[in-house]
Amino acid sequence: KYKEEKECNTKYEEVCHTRYEESCHTVNEKECKTVTEKECSYVNGHQKCWDEPREKCWDEPRQVCEQVPKMDCKQVPKEECHTKSVPYTDYVPEEVCSTSYKPVCRPVPVNKCHDVQEAVTSLVPKEKCHTKQKQVCNDVPKQVCHQVPKEDCKDVPKKDCKT
């Protein structure tokens, strides 16, 4: 005989997800501005001045931040199950019987006697009566018991193995 049995195994699977971390660093950016400078020169002994626009540039440090993806992975248990047929032995309990006796009773008639007074007459020149004892029997029921065998059964386990 075969029976279906469930068999399970735990396997581990790598599960990953992306999380973002902020990463910051300093960058020098060139910054420029137009400024007006006074410029002068001498012409024929006279000073002549005017506003001259000029561009001035310099490096300006600036903090730059960005979201950087990071992978977080971990091993997660995963249970996989399947059924398979496996042989098995069926144990049948063996019936073991023993005989026990139980009294079975029934009424049986028994003769029970007792003395009764009875008047008896006899012929005499004169009538003379006297009391004479006489035995009278009556049927009185009485129980008589006999041993009658009775089967008393119990289940007793017995291994019945087949290969």
Side-chain angles (χ1 to χ4, degrees):
K1 284 185 173 182
Y2 287 88
K3 68 177 178 179
E4 294 295 309
E5 204 173 81
K6 186 176 177 182
E7 187 177 80
C8 297
N9 294 314
T10 303
K11 291 185 176 179
Y12 288 87
E13 227 176 52
E14 188 173 55
V15 175
C16 299
H17 73 277
T18 305
R19 66 180 173 85
Y20 292 89
E21 279 185 359
E22 190 172 57
S23 176
C24 298
H25 56 279
T26 304
V27 175
N28 285 326
E29 285 187 3
K30 189 174 191 173
E31 201 142 316
C32 296
K33 216 181 208 184
T34 302
V35 289
T36 309
E37 288 185 356
K38 232 183 215 320
E39 202 165 290
C40 297
S41 67
Y42 285 95
V43 179
N44 295 334
H46 286 80
Q47 184 179 8
K48 193 173 185 181
C49 293
W50 63 96
D51 288 335
E52 186 69 37
R54 293 194 186 201
E55 190 175 50
K56 288 234 179 184
C57 295
W58 63 95
D59 285 338
E60 183 71 37
R62 185 179 309 255
Q63 186 93 6
V64 175
C65 296
E66 59 186 351
Q67 295 292 320
V68 177
K70 284 227 173 181
M71 291 294 276
D72 277 342
C73 297
K74 62 181 176 180
Q75 295 290 321
V76 175
K78 182 180 180 185
E79 191 174 62
E80 289 181 354
C81 297
H82 64 278
T83 54
K84 65 177 185 175
S85 293
V86 291
Y88 79 100
T89 305
D90 209 3
Y91 293 100
V92 178
E94 183 180 284
E95 187 175 73
V96 174
C97 299
S98 62
T99 303
S100 62
Y101 294 93
K102 176 183 174 190
V104 174
C105 302
R106 63 181 180 267
V108 175
V110 170
N111 286 332
K112 189 175 187 180
C113 299
H114 61 279
D115 292 329
V116 177
Q117 297 285 325
E118 184 181 88
V120 174
T121 53
S122 54
L123 292 176
V124 200
K126 271 198 237 176
E127 193 176 299
K128 195 178 184 179
C129 292
H130 65 276
T131 303
K132 185 179 170 185
Q133 285 195 354
K134 178 183 176 185
Q135 208 174 46
V136 176
C137 293
N138 296 325
D139 282 341
V140 176
K142 174 188 172 187
Q143 275 198 344
V144 176
C145 297
H146 299 285
Q147 293 287 325
V148 178
K150 173 195 158 214
E151 265 195 17
D152 186 13
C153 298
K154 295 177 190 144
D155 281 342
V156 174
K158 175 192 171 195
K159 285 187 183 177
D160 184 18
C161 303
K162 294 176 187 171
T163 52

